[in-house]
Amino acid sequence: MSNQSKSHVITMGCRLNMAESNAMLQQLQSQEENDDVIIVNSCAVTNEAVRQTRQAVRRAKRDNPSTKVIVTGCAAQVDPDMFAQMPEVSKVIGNSEKQNINQFLIDNNDIVVSDIMQVKQTAPQLVSTFSGKSRAFVEVQNGCDHRCTFCIIPYGRGNSRSVPSGKVVDHIKKLVDEGFQEIVLTGVDVTSYGPDLPGDNNLGQLLERILKHVPMLRRLRMSSIDGVEIDERMFDILSSEKRVMPHLHLSLQSGDNMILKRMKRRHSREDAIDLVQRLKSKRPEIAIGADIIAGFPTEDEAMFENSRALIRECKIVHGHIFPFSPKKGTPAAQMPQVDKQVIKERAKILRQDCKDIADKWRTSLVGSSQKILIEKGGISGHAENFAYTKLKDEKPYSSSASNIEGNIVDAKIIGLEGENLLAEML
């Protein structure tokens, strides 16, 4: 492929998709003989995600009429025929096949999607993707063994499988040697890491090995995790290890125990509140994020109010609120549904609840000193607690932005700019 190649990847959905998109792009760029293609890496987590994927496909073809459009990812894995029937699509490739994208692009079939449940290992290469020059996302796990009643993702990703810890450590060493200051561990169900590997492995042990064998790593962060699988070993790391960032994103989904049971979640609201209180008692600065679904089937006003109360009790400042949408093939799709307008209103209220708490939290940070990982041309970045921060008067820094970007700087928070912190370098 020449340097003028127009091939690129459009990413929908999660950080794991972001990581795999980067791996696919690197594969495309390594092959000179491939034609220009656009790959749409799809998401199936909600019906809206699928709609947006189809929209991205149409837009890609409209803007690049002579370029082949390939669809892969979870939505393609779950419903390949739907995408194959779109006139804009040249080929549909499954989640397993996308790990060796060049091999399957030359397949003569329009649909190349294998049974994901038969996949027993992670990809042969460790995938990673980068946020500018500062942050690298590293896949340590894929798939999920649990069957939450609302979730289609196990059917798009297959069963849980883990990357051996030695390979993870070696890969992170290389990324740190290349200058990355922060590593984010990603996966479909990261806290299920380890049991499928030989010997005694879990996520806590993996964190210990990374911290021990990569001493130059400044910041380690995790994507969404399931609090029920945080054992004491991992709790100690999260609550005391300074190189593990004080930011935890929990897969809570609801604040009502009956709804949690109907979701087939493995925790109660009391479990969630206890975990957060224990973490904050040990590490007061820790910032809590959470996924919460609004309007799950059978959710009444009292159940909804329990979710609102959970947001307040856990002080959720990074809230991801999902209006429930029934996914074909999941048990929740067969349950009594909540009115769509009610779902929309409840999601709006939950988002406002999270915003109110986050606004107070950001205000409390004014006057504090924070360590900021500088991104985006040297004018902004994230604090350790994942608060997004802008540098005041970026012009003085612009001349040396290439030197600042990717570095961790000490800064004083002097105010707010919308939903961002405003800081000046110390």
Side-chain angles (χ1 to χ4, degrees):
M1 186 180 297
S2 67
N3 290 332
Q4 287 73 40
S5 168
K6 297 179 182 178
S7 293
H8 65 279
V9 182
I10 298 170
T11 305
M12 315 299 294
C14 66
R15 288 174 172 175
L16 182 56
N17 258 10
M18 292 171 58
E20 292 172 342
S21 289
N22 187 73
M24 286 188 287
L25 185 59
Q26 290 176 345
Q27 290 180 60
L28 289 173
Q29 293 172 340
S30 70
Q31 299 295 322
E32 294 185 358
E33 66 273 14
N34 277 342
D35 296 330
D36 291 339
V37 298
I38 296 173
I39 297 174
V40 179
N41 196 7
S42 66
C43 176
V45 69
T46 63
N47 292 334
E48 176 64 14
V50 176
R51 187 193 69 79
Q52 290 178 2
T53 296
R54 289 170 60 86
Q55 188 178 57
V57 168
R58 295 189 186 100
R59 187 185 304 114
K61 189 65 175 179
R62 184 183 67 237
D63 295 344
N64 304 273
S66 63
T67 304
K68 293 180 180 179
V69 177
I70 314 296
V71 183
T72 187
C74 290
Q77 180 72 41
V78 171
D79 196 351
D81 290 333
M82 177 182 67
F83 289 101
Q85 290 169 9
M86 294 181 68
E88 298 88 353
V89 174
S90 298
K91 188 185 291 289
V92 180
I93 293 175
N95 258 337
S96 177
E97 288 75 16
K98 75 179 178 183
Q99 305 294 350
N100 294 287
I101 195 72
N102 285 319
Q103 176 182 345
F104 293 101
L105 284 179
I106 61 176
D107 191 293
N108 291 326
N109 295 311
D110 293 337
I111 299 177
V112 189
V113 179
S114 62
D115 182 357
I116 196 70
M117 295 301 178
Q118 300 304 313
V119 178
K120 303 300 182 185
Q121 294 181 325
T122 51
Q125 75 279 6
L126 273 170
V127 298
S128 57
T129 190
F130 316 126
S131 175
K133 302 175 182 178
S134 54
R135 179 180 293 108
F137 299 96
V138 174
E139 176 186 340
V140 300
Q141 181 274 343
N142 205 329
C144 184
D145 290 339
H146 310 297
R147 296 295 181 265
C148 297
T149 58
F150 57 84
C151 187
I152 198 69
I153 298 304
Y155 304 98
R157 287 287 182 175
N159 295 316
S160 181
R161 48 207 189 273
S162 310
V163 179
S165 61
K167 290 185 177 181
V168 174
V169 168
D170 289 344
H171 191 57
I172 292 175
K173 282 181 179 178
K174 291 178 182 178
L175 291 169
V176 172
D177 288 344
E178 290 172 13
F180 289 96
Q181 304 275 357
E182 179 174 307
I183 299 295
V184 183
L185 304 184
T186 69
V188 175
D189 182 22
V190 175
T191 34
S192 70
Y193 177 90
D196 57 307
L197 297 172
D200 183 22
N201 291 275
N202 58 37
L203 185 59
Q205 288 178 321
L206 177 65
L207 296 177
E208 287 179 344
R209 289 166 183 165
I210 293 170
L211 294 166
K212 178 181 178 180
H213 296 293
V214 195
M216 298 303 292
L217 173 62
R218 298 281 300 277
R219 292 163 60 146
L220 182 61
R221 200 184 296 275
M222 284 171 290
S223 59
S224 179
I225 66 175
D226 193 340
V228 76
E229 295 196 50
I230 298 178
D231 59 15
E232 287 306 311
R233 187 176 199 169
M234 185 175 171
F235 180 88
D236 288 343
I237 295 171
L238 295 174
S239 60
S240 63
E241 173 54 60
K242 296 302 181 184
R243 288 191 290 156
V244 174
M245 294 298 93
H247 162 230
L248 206 59
H249 195 90
L250 299 171
S251 179
L252 297 183
Q253 308 305 346
S254 176
D256 183 80
N257 282 335
M258 181 56 71
I259 292 295
L260 288 169
K261 287 181 179 179
R262 290 170 180 165
M263 288 177 167
K264 280 198 173 180
R265 299 297 296 167
R266 295 173 295 154
H267 70 274
S268 67
R269 67 172 284 115
E270 291 78 17
D271 293 332
I273 294 169
D274 177 67
L275 172 62
V276 172
Q277 289 179 343
R278 289 172 60 216
L279 284 167
K280 284 184 171 290
S281 68
K282 293 280 189 179
R283 199 173 186 184
E285 72 273 22
I286 198 164
I288 302 298
D291 297 327
I292 296 181
I293 295 174
F296 185 83
T298 76
E299 181 186 76
D300 60 23
E301 283 295 328
M303 294 168 173
F304 168 64
E305 289 298 327
N306 282 336
S307 286
R308 296 191 68 189
L310 184 75
I311 289 173
R312 294 190 295 269
E313 292 183 67
C314 292
K315 293 183 173 60
I316 294 170
V317 296
H318 301 296
H320 290 178
I321 308 302
F322 298 90
F324 176 80
S325 60
K327 295 295 296 181
K328 182 180 178 181
T330 63
Q334 305 301 317
M335 297 178 184
Q337 303 293 303
V338 176
D339 180 79
K340 289 183 179 179
Q341 187 59 36
V342 172
I343 293 174
K344 183 177 179 181
E345 287 299 318
R346 288 179 181 175
K348 181 179 179 180
I349 291 170
L350 292 179
R351 291 191 184 105
Q352 186 63 47
D353 288 341
C354 290
K355 182 180 183 302
D356 290 345
I357 293 171
D359 286 345
K360 292 179 182 178
W361 171 65
R362 283 187 287 264
T363 299
S364 74
L365 295 174
V366 175
S368 69
S369 296
Q370 301 288 332
K371 294 184 180 297
I372 312 299
L373 177 59
I374 300 299
E375 309 159 26
K376 294 187 178 180
I379 62 172
S380 61
H382 285 87
E384 292 182 338
N385 55 23
F386 211 62
Y388 190 71
T389 307
K390 288 186 175 182
L391 297 180
K392 180 186 177 184
D393 300 328
E394 62 265 21
K395 289 182 181 179
Y397 311 112
S398 60
S399 62
S400 58
S402 60
N403 294 324
I404 296 175
E405 184 175 346
N407 288 331
I408 297 172
V409 302
D410 291 313
K412 183 178 181 179
I413 308 304
I414 59 173
L416 301 174
E417 186 177 286
E419 295 185 3
N420 304 317
L421 300 179
L422 190 63
E424 58 184 12
M425 290 173 55
L426 297 175

